[in-house]
Amino acid sequence: KMLNPELISLENQVFRCYLGWSAILVLKIFATGIYTGLMRFITATFANQEDLMSPKLKVKFDDPNVERVRRAHRNDLENILPFFAIGLLYVLTNPAAFLAINLFRAVGIARIVHTIVYAVVVVPQPSRALAFFVALGATVYMALQVILSAAF
Ligand code: GSH
């Protein structure tokens, strides 16, 4: 087996699926940042002197709602950025389309669910852990396939 750069083509259904879910997840990460800002206004929690909306306010770093959204955002960076890298390399391994497309779907949907149950609705565990492990499992599988294709 070899990595084949010709698979980076819009003719390749697996690559198109990777593009689509990557763009959706970029927008999802941005939405989490916007949501952080919204939560700062709702709770009047500002981290910089120049952001204070009224002279009565003080800078504040410990609002639980803001911190929750920030943790969701950080968890995105810990998990979605690796997916962008390894998902593309996985496309180069010429995987079976059905499997690859469903793995991308699994990552995309699980990471959206992770944000919702962590910071929007706050659903009890194990909902967040489940969403986390679905995306992690799919990404780890892709990484192992890349290693197998590239190294052996
Ligand atoms: N940096 C993570 C943490 O501090 O929790 C590492 C472990 C992790 O990612 N756990 C998942 C999670 O959603 C499943 S429980 N953690 C919440 C978070 O990162 O704030």
Side-chain angles (χ1 to χ4, degrees):
K1 280 195 342 192
M2 288 204 341
L3 294 174
N4 179 3
E6 283 177 18
L7 292 162
I8 302 298
S9 154
L10 290 174
E11 314 273 294
N12 180 1
Q13 185 192 11
V14 173
F15 180 59
R16 285 204 313 273
C17 188
Y18 165 81
L19 288 187
W21 280 109
S22 293
I24 289 169
L25 286 173
V26 164
L27 296 181
K28 199 231 67 71
I29 295 173
F30 287 165
T32 310
I34 302 283
Y35 188 41
T36 309
L38 186 70
M39 199 54 88
R40 287 192 182 285
F41 277 96
I42 292 172
T43 62
T45 305
F46 300 104
N48 306 283
Q49 195 69 37
E50 68 274 21
D51 301 346
L52 298 176
M53 303 289 291
S54 129
K56 289 180 205 149
L57 292 172
K58 284 201 165 82
V59 293
K60 195 176 165 212
F61 301 100
D62 62 353
D63 182 87
N65 300 293
V66 172
E67 289 308 305
R68 180 178 281 279
V69 185
R70 278 161 49 77
R71 288 195 301 276
H73 200 167
R74 184 188 57 193
N75 198 270
D76 280 349
L77 303 183
E78 292 171 353
N79 292 278
I80 299 178
L81 300 187
F83 164 72
F84 290 156
I86 215 68
L88 181 59
L89 297 177
Y90 176 63
V91 172
L92 296 177
T93 70
N94 200 14
F98 178 81
L99 175 62
I101 287 167
N102 281 295
L103 287 172
F104 294 153
R105 266 188 201 140
V107 172
I109 293 170
R111 289 311 308 185
I112 292 168
V113 168
H114 184 274
T115 306
I116 292 172
V117 302
Y118 200 1
V120 183
V121 196
V122 191
V123 181
Q125 289 281 34
S127 53
R128 168 163 46 90
L130 225 62
F132 171 81
F133 281 113
V134 166
L136 184 74
T139 312
V140 166
Y141 175 83
M142 291 178 217
L144 294 176
Q145 291 307 309
V146 169
I147 292 169
L148 290 174
S149 303
F152 304 106

